[in-house]
Structure formats: C-alpha cells, structure tokens
Amino acid sequence: QVQLVESGGGLVQAGDSLRLSCAASGRAFSMYAMSWFRQAPGKEREFVARISRGGGKTVYADSLKGRFTISRDNAKNTVYLQMNSLKPEDTAVYYCAARLTIGTSRSDDYEYWGQGTQVTVSS
C-alpha cells in the first residue's frame, strides 16, 4: 500500500498562485495513477486533475483547464498541483489520491487518500 501526505496549502488572495505537493511512501510510486480532488464546505468531493503512472497523460476538470497543472516526479515519489489565478471559489480542502494502474475521475475508484490540505482564497 501507499501513504500520502499533502502540503502547500494556505491562505492567499484572489489571483495568487499556490503549488500543492503530495509525498508518497510505501510501495512503488510509479505503479500508481495519481489524482487531486477537492471538497468545499457543504459540497461533495469533486475531481480536479489526474496523471498517469509515467506522467505522460493528464486529465483536468473542464472548469479548471488552463489554470491548474498536475505533474509528478517519480524519482521523488511526489505529485504536484500548480494552481494559478486562484479564485475564491477554489477554496476547499485538497486531497491527493492513488489508484493502482489506471486512473479515473471517480473518487470511489481510489484506494488511498491523503489527509488533505486547506486552500483558502480571499477576495
């Protein structure tokens, strides 16, 4: 199995950028497709972005294309989420998740989750 720890969240102003990191430990990181999800207060968890095991394929939520970028460094066992031009509606707890082999955009498909990191964007 794999353990996931997110970091990099915080309080920023609208228009700022943040880079989230998710460090993995345990079994071979490169075996896992990785995703970011987020959950705002009172809302369901939603898909943000995912990346294939080798990093060659990325998929984004339509509403976030062009502002968010997912990447991974398998040598460092880490996946990143670069968030630019942040908006107040991006405020949420951001979670990374791991799925053995092929990634999907459904949270129910993921076996392993981090504890989440809070991102708050003020207007």
Side-chain angles (χ1 to χ4, degrees):
Q1 65 183 50
V2 62
Q3 294 79 41
L4 305 172
V5 179
E6 302 96 334
S7 62
L11 173 62
V12 297
Q13 294 187 333
D16 286 351
S17 297
L18 272 178
R19 189 177 81 156
L20 305 183
S21 299
C22 173
S25 60
R27 292 181 59 188
F29 178 65
S30 61
M31 295 173 61
Y32 292 86
M34 300 296 298
S35 286
W36 287 95
F37 291 82
R38 68 183 184 183
Q39 188 166 18
K43 296 187 177 181
E44 293 189 354
R45 190 170 297 187
E46 66 172 347
F47 169 74
V48 173
R50 59 183 171 93
I51 189 166
S52 60
R53 289 173 292 171
K57 179 179 179 180
T58 57
V59 176
Y60 297 91
D62 288 342
S63 62
L64 301 176
K65 286 180 182 177
R67 292 197 300 124
F68 287 18
T69 303
I70 189 171
S71 61
R72 68 189 294 163
D73 185 338
N74 285 347
K76 295 182 178 180
N77 286 6
T78 303
V79 62
Y80 305 97
L81 184 69
Q82 177 68 42
M83 306 185 294
N84 298 329
S85 302
L86 283 162
K87 305 175 181 179
E89 51 263 43
D90 294 319
T91 295
V93 178
Y94 284 71
Y95 298 90
C96 69
R99 184 173 192 258
L100 201 59
T101 66
I102 298 173
T104 75
S105 302
R106 288 167 34 89
S107 60
D108 288 349
D109 291 338
Y110 285 79
E111 300 104 334
Y112 305 105
W113 291 83
Q115 83 289 349
T117 186
Q118 176 71 47
V119 172
T120 303
V121 184
S122 64
S123 57

